[in-house]
Amino acid sequence: MMNALFRRGGAMLDVLLKAFSFFLIIVAGYLLKQYGMLQRSDSVALSKIMMNLTLPAAVINGFASFEVDHSLLVLVLIGFVCNILLMYGGYLIARKRDNETKAFYMINSPGYNIGCFTLPYVQGFLGPVGIVATCLFDAGNSVICTGGSYVAASNATGKSSGLKNTFKRLFSSVPFDVYMLLLAAALCGYHLPSQVTILTSIVGNANPFIAMLIIGMMLEINIDRSQLKHVYKVLALRYGAGALFAVLFYFYTPLPLEIRQVLAVAVFAPGSALSPMFTSRWSVPLGSVSSFTGSLSIFISIIIITTLLTLMQA
């Protein structure tokens, strides 16, 4: 009994240290920009590195030992539907606003930071079944995170038109392409050889650092007070819907307990690290607001998810 308690305490400490490490990297990115060692424009180059190298490599690493339980494929649909509902909620909030504001809500309301944030929690508390369930939820989530929300915002504001152009934008996202290809391969029982993952593990391990550094570089603490209302509305939508989703999944679905626990945690994940990058394509100032929103969501999620897991393990 005591050994189990010590293991849980150690797992909790590891999770808190990792979460605090993310916070420190965000602070480092912000301070490097403030003292002129890096420029905010450098985040554009880092975003390209993340989107085309480190994030695809991290996705490949995640699928290296990924074994699909076909009975749990419903989790892919759940991850996708949660995002669609949040994105539609963002659209309703901003439907009468200008295109840039509408795009901000549609990009920042959905999207869960699963790989860099939630998965370490699950690894520490919910074991192998929890890891697989989290990856399946993230497969549906990634459709929106890696380009789906940007495409939807483009269509909703008239920036993009036609089915062909929509698919072109969606499949021009390298992480999305990699995620879909690897998910299809996993469903068919195929896996990449270990020689490939040796290389991608080196590159992919840099992804959490780069993602958090970009958030820090894009962060503007002294943002226009008039923009704070957008931050509050997005966070209220995300965490209000998260509470509703968590209650629904945990108490009213016939899934195994471990899966219900994963879903209850996953829906409280912070905003996607890619949201500021996609938002900046519409408006650089709103990109800063997006970065501030994402940073604040990390602190909120640390409190909520740590509390939930503590209650679940009690």
Side-chain angles (χ1 to χ4, degrees):
M1 180 68 178
M2 290 299 296
N3 288 336
L5 289 175
F6 279 124
R7 284 197 298 271
R8 288 179 182 176
M12 173 70 76
L13 181 60
D14 289 343
V15 166
L16 291 176
L17 286 174
K18 189 154 191 172
F20 185 63
S21 298
F22 290 159
F23 167 72
L24 288 181
I25 296 170
I26 292 172
V27 172
Y30 177 76
L31 292 177
L32 287 171
K33 179 192 66 174
Q34 289 297 101
Y35 287 100
M37 298 178 68
L38 291 173
Q39 304 298 320
R40 193 181 188 282
S41 58
D42 293 334
S43 64
V44 176
L46 285 175
S47 295
K48 291 179 180 179
I49 292 173
M50 181 176 70
M51 287 292 288
N52 295 293
L53 287 176
T54 63
L55 182 56
V59 171
I60 292 172
N61 296 339
F63 275 89
S65 57
F66 186 70
E67 298 294 339
V68 177
D69 182 346
H70 289 77
S71 66
L72 297 179
L73 288 179
V74 66
L75 299 180
V76 179
L77 179 62
I78 289 174
F80 179 75
V81 170
C82 286
N83 276 275
I84 290 296
L85 292 174
L86 282 171
M87 186 164 58
Y88 185 65
Y91 171 78
L92 290 178
I93 291 174
R95 65 188 183 280
K96 296 182 180 179
R97 306 298 298 271
D98 58 87
N99 286 342
E100 287 76 15
T101 303
K102 192 181 300 181
F104 171 85
Y105 278 91
M106 293 186 69
I107 293 171
N108 290 275
S109 296
Y112 298 105
N113 191 337
I114 300 296
C116 294
F117 186 89
T118 309
L119 198 55
Y121 276 87
V122 172
Q123 288 173 321
F125 286 89
L126 302 180
V129 175
I131 293 172
V132 172
T134 304
C135 289
L136 287 171
F137 179 89
D138 194 31
N141 169 62
S142 70
V143 176
I144 303 300
C145 285
T146 59
S149 60
Y150 179 76
V151 170
S154 298
N155 287 330
T157 58
K159 188 174 180 179
S160 177
S161 60
L163 187 62
K164 180 179 179 181
N165 202 18
T166 296
F167 277 100
K168 183 179 178 180
R169 282 184 178 273
L170 187 58
F171 284 94
S172 65
S173 169
V174 175
F176 175 82
D177 295 342
V178 171
Y179 228 126
M180 293 301 103
L181 285 172
L182 291 178
L183 180 60
L187 290 173
C188 296
Y190 297 110
H191 292 89
L192 292 173
S194 60
Q195 292 83 353
V196 174
T197 56
I198 290 174
L199 173 61
T200 57
S201 64
I202 298 173
V203 180
N205 287 341
N207 190 66
F209 173 79
I210 291 180
M212 295 302 110
L213 190 68
I214 290 172
I215 290 177
M217 292 170 64
M218 297 185 69
L219 180 61
E220 294 291 344
I221 296 178
N222 296 320
I223 64 174
D224 188 339
R225 286 179 175 268
S226 65
Q227 304 287 12
L228 287 176
K229 60 185 178 183
H230 301 315
V231 176
Y232 300 147
K233 287 181 181 179
V234 165
L235 293 177
L237 173 61
R238 286 184 62 89
Y239 290 103
L244 181 62
F245 292 156
V247 170
L248 177 64
F249 295 145
Y250 191 82
F251 293 105
Y252 298 103
T253 58
L255 297 167
L257 176 61
E258 297 92 335
I259 307 303
R260 289 185 281 122
Q261 289 175 331
V262 166
L263 290 175
V265 168
V267 294
F268 286 112
S272 169
L274 300 179
S275 296
M277 185 197 68
F278 285 125
T279 305
S280 292
R281 293 183 182 180
W282 286 86
S283 167
V284 172
L286 284 177
S288 298
V289 179
S290 174
S291 181
F292 182 81
T293 305
S295 301
L296 192 55
S297 74
I298 289 175
F299 306 134
I300 297 172
S301 293
I302 288 173
I303 296 171
I304 294 176
I305 292 178
T306 302
T307 302
L308 280 176
L309 286 172
T310 301
L311 292 173
M312 290 176 183
Q313 299 297 312

